[in-house]
Amino acid sequence: MYLLSVNDQQILLECGLFQGRREETIERNRSFSFDPSKLSAVVLSHAHIDHCGNLPNLVRQGFSGNIYSTFATRDLAAIMLADSAHIQQYDAKFVSRKRAKKGLDPVLPLYSIKDAERAVSQFVAVNYQRPMPIAPGVTLSFADAGHILGSAQVILDVVEGGRRFRYLFSGDIGRGDHEILRDPEPVSDVDFLQIESTYGNRQHADKTFAKDELQSVIQETLGKNGKVIIPAFSVGRTQMIVYTLHQLSLEGALPKVPIFVDSPLSVNATEVFRLHPECFNQDIYDFLHEKANPFGMENLTYIRHL
């Protein structure tokens, strides 16, 4: 998270959960180095937990202002924060049981489901490229970041002390040529640039033959009467795989075997994807209008509850 001071106002960019060892995680996530009640606004680039996951705690500790995001980010954050709150409460119960055996006091969850709901109620959704004043002398705009559904680069046009300048926070930037999302938008006339090292120094594999490789693995496994199990992140990866399987099925490259998406969070995330075709690239948008729902097939079953 990043705290900006502009015109005697405090604006927070992102409010994510630090993820690591339990003791260090609890310590770093529970406390803030500033007073949440003094914040004028929060701006969120996207709904991954390392960017939005500590918002309920921020609200719990006194923040009552607006949380600005795109519409898709708001909807994804709603399910992500609810899921995170459930995990926080479960984890606290687990740790408390272990502490009880040692005669130690129980621990409290970082935040509750009600805290998550309160945080979501403070969201103000803004379309891409629609300027929105968020504080005296500060106007917010979002540009597509192409990272996950609803992800955005944060543009702040500022008037302060008689001067004007544009501040750009990149958020996490996508690689481009995404199966579902549009490419990141270029942003011009930037005076101050803050860039997230989304993938660090990682060298990505060439995606050119990924679809063919997936087809080959599935065909080989089915040929041996086997089952294919694909672990995938709930937001983004699951939808990419389902869309690819749908394409392969329509091309006749795969038989109509049963396909299951067995994850409540993945199911909920896919519903959010269906609500936001405005984030789709032209290829999947055409697929949606000319062929079928990219995330639905006759042989596909979504499992919402255990």
Side-chain angles (χ1 to χ4, degrees):
M1 69 186 76
Y2 309 99
L3 185 64
L4 302 181
S5 295
V6 181
N7 294 325
D8 296 323
Q9 306 290 310
Q10 291 188 331
I11 300 171
L12 187 68
L13 304 181
E14 319 286 63
C15 190
L17 278 180
F18 173 79
Q19 296 167 304
R21 294 181 180 274
R22 179 177 281 120
E23 290 185 4
E24 182 184 8
T25 296
I26 292 173
E27 180 66 25
R28 291 186 62 169
N29 287 328
R30 198 173 293 279
S31 302
F32 296 100
S33 60
F34 52 87
D35 183 350
S37 68
K38 299 293 178 62
L39 293 175
S40 300
V42 174
V43 182
L44 182 62
S45 69
H46 66 286
H48 275 151
I49 284 297
D50 61 328
H51 288 256
C52 76
N54 214 10
L55 284 170
N57 185 33
L58 190 77
V59 169
R60 185 175 189 168
Q61 294 195 35
F63 174 65
S64 59
N66 292 334
I67 302 169
Y68 295 94
S69 75
T70 65
F71 283 86
T73 291
R74 176 200 62 189
D75 293 345
L76 278 178
I79 62 172
M80 297 289 281
L81 294 177
D83 184 72
S84 177
H86 175 76
I87 293 172
Q88 298 292 335
Q89 292 182 321
Y90 178 86
D91 196 50
K93 289 180 181 178
F94 174 78
V95 173
S96 294
R97 284 197 299 268
K98 294 183 68 175
R99 288 173 61 88
K101 294 177 181 178
K102 300 177 182 179
L104 300 175
D105 293 334
V107 298
L108 296 175
L110 184 63
Y111 51 78
S112 67
I113 292 175
K114 286 188 177 181
D115 294 323
E117 291 172 348
R118 282 183 58 204
V120 172
S121 73
Q122 292 175 215
F123 271 70
V124 174
V126 182
N127 279 321
Y128 291 112
Q129 303 298 347
R130 293 294 297 270
M132 168 73 75
I134 63 171
V138 182
T139 300
L140 164 71
S141 301
F142 288 126
D144 202 330
H147 176 57
I148 65 169
L149 191 81
S151 61
Q153 302 167 73
V154 176
I155 305 165
L156 298 178
D157 288 303
V158 179
V159 179
E160 182 184 42
R163 64 174 185 147
R164 296 175 178 270
F165 60 89
R166 171 168 281 191
Y167 174 95
L168 174 64
F169 169 58
S170 69
D172 284 347
I173 297 290
R175 298 168 58 189
D177 195 26
H178 194 279
E179 289 82 352
I180 296 173
L181 306 176
R182 298 177 302 196
D183 287 349
E185 293 181 81
V187 179
S188 59
D189 301 321
V190 174
D191 298 293
F192 298 96
L193 174 62
Q194 180 179 348
I195 302 176
E196 290 264 85
S197 56
T198 310
Y199 299 108
N201 61 353
R202 183 183 310 169
Q203 293 293 322
H204 288 286
D206 188 348
K207 296 193 299 182
T208 305
F209 304 106
K211 182 178 174 182
D212 294 336
E213 290 173 359
L214 179 62
Q215 174 186 336
S216 176
V217 169
I218 294 174
Q219 288 178 335
E220 180 182 353
T221 304
L222 294 178
K224 299 176 181 178
N225 293 320
K227 296 178 175 63
V228 180
I229 299 174
I230 306 177
F233 290 121
S234 295
V235 177
R237 299 295 187 192
T238 293
Q239 293 75 33
M240 286 168 55
I241 291 170
V242 168
Y243 175 44
T244 301
L245 293 176
H246 198 164
Q247 289 177 304
L248 291 171
S249 295
L250 289 179
E251 293 166 5
L254 293 179
K256 285 194 174 182
V257 296
I259 301 172
F260 299 93
V261 175
D262 188 6
S263 162
L265 183 58
S266 295
V267 176
N268 291 335
T270 303
E271 290 298 325
V272 175
F273 269 71
R274 287 172 174 156
L275 291 173
H276 292 284
E278 76 277 6
C279 298
F280 294 170
N281 63 35
Q282 193 61 48
D283 288 342
I284 193 170
Y285 196 81
D286 291 342
F287 187 97
L288 174 65
H289 283 272
E290 298 173 7
K291 295 182 180 179
N293 172 9
F295 311 117
M297 295 174 276
E298 291 180 359
N299 54 320
L300 172 62
T301 301
Y302 286 96
I303 301 174
R304 190 181 298 274
H305 301 292
L306 298 178

